Amino acid sequence: MEVDFVTAFLSERWYVLVGALIVLFLVIKVVKTVIKWVLVLAILAGLFWYGASYKDQLLELGTTVGAKVAAEVKNQAVKAITDEVKEAKYSQNADGSYTVSTKSAKLEGKPGSSDVQVTFMNQTFTMKLDDVLKGFIEQAKKNAGQ
C-alpha cells in the first residue's frame, strides 16, 4: 500500500520535480549572484510548499512502514528460534527466571508470565508467549535434560 502511494505520487507528479530541477540548473547557470539565489530560494520554497500539502500522507506512510518493519523483525525472530530449536540451551536463573538461547536469538522470561523478552539481531523486544514459543521453551528444557 505504501509503495503504491509512493509510486502513484511519483508517477503522477514526476514532471513537477523534473521541471523544478531544470529551472534550478538554468537559473544557476544564467542568472547572476543575488537575483540567482533569490530565484533559487523561491523555487525551493515552492517545492517545499508543494510537498507540505502531502505532509499528512507522508507521515502516515512513515508510521505504517515502521509498524510493518517491527512486525517483520518479530516474524524473523520467531522463524530463527524455531529453526534453531535443536540447538537451544535452557538455563534457570537465580531469581527464578529462565533464559533460552540459540546462536542468533535469546529469550528471557519468568514462569507464569505471558510475556517474554526476545533479543534478536541486537534488538530486544517483548512478545506474547504463544504456543510456538512455549513449544520452543519445552524443547530447550528437554535439550538441557530438565
Side-chain angles (χ1 to χ4, degrees):
M1 180 178 158
E2 293 78 30
V3 174
D4 295 337
F5 170 73
V6 172
T7 305
F9 180 81
L10 292 175
S11 67
E12 292 173 7
R13 292 168 184 87
W14 66 271
Y15 55 88
V16 174
L17 296 172
V18 171
L21 286 174
I22 291 171
V23 170
L24 276 176
F25 285 121
L26 289 174
V27 167
I28 290 172
K29 293 290 182 185
V30 174
V31 180
K32 300 293 180 197
T33 42
V34 175
I35 296 172
K36 171 173 52 175
W37 292 111
V38 168
L39 288 173
V40 166
L41 290 175
I43 291 169
L44 291 176
L47 282 174
F48 178 76
W49 178 79
Y50 182 75
S53 62
Y54 295 98
K55 181 181 105 179
D56 293 335
Q57 292 172 342
L58 294 173
L59 288 175
E60 182 182 324
L61 173 68
T63 303
T64 306
V65 168
K68 284 188 177 188
V69 167
E72 181 61 26
V73 167
K74 287 182 180 182
N75 288 338
Q76 291 296 324
V78 170
K79 183 179 180 325
I81 286 170
T82 55
D83 288 347
E84 299 171 355
V85 71
K86 298 286 186 204
E87 307 154 5
K89 294 182 176 86
Y90 181 89
S91 62
Q92 189 74 31
N93 301 327
D95 63 354
S97 64
Y98 59 87
T99 302
V100 180
S101 58
T102 66
K103 63 182 177 183
S104 64
K106 182 170 74 169
L107 188 134
E108 298 172 300
K110 293 183 180 178
S113 174
S114 64
D115 294 333
V116 291
Q117 290 287 103
V118 178
T119 303
F120 178 69
M121 295 176 58
N122 295 325
Q123 299 296 318
T124 302
F125 46 89
T126 302
M127 290 181 68
K128 292 288 182 193
L129 194 57
D130 61 3
D131 291 336
V132 173
L133 292 176
K134 285 179 184 176
F136 173 72
I137 294 167
E138 291 303 316
Q139 181 62 44
K141 283 182 180 180
K142 289 178 187 174
N143 293 350
Q146 293 186 0

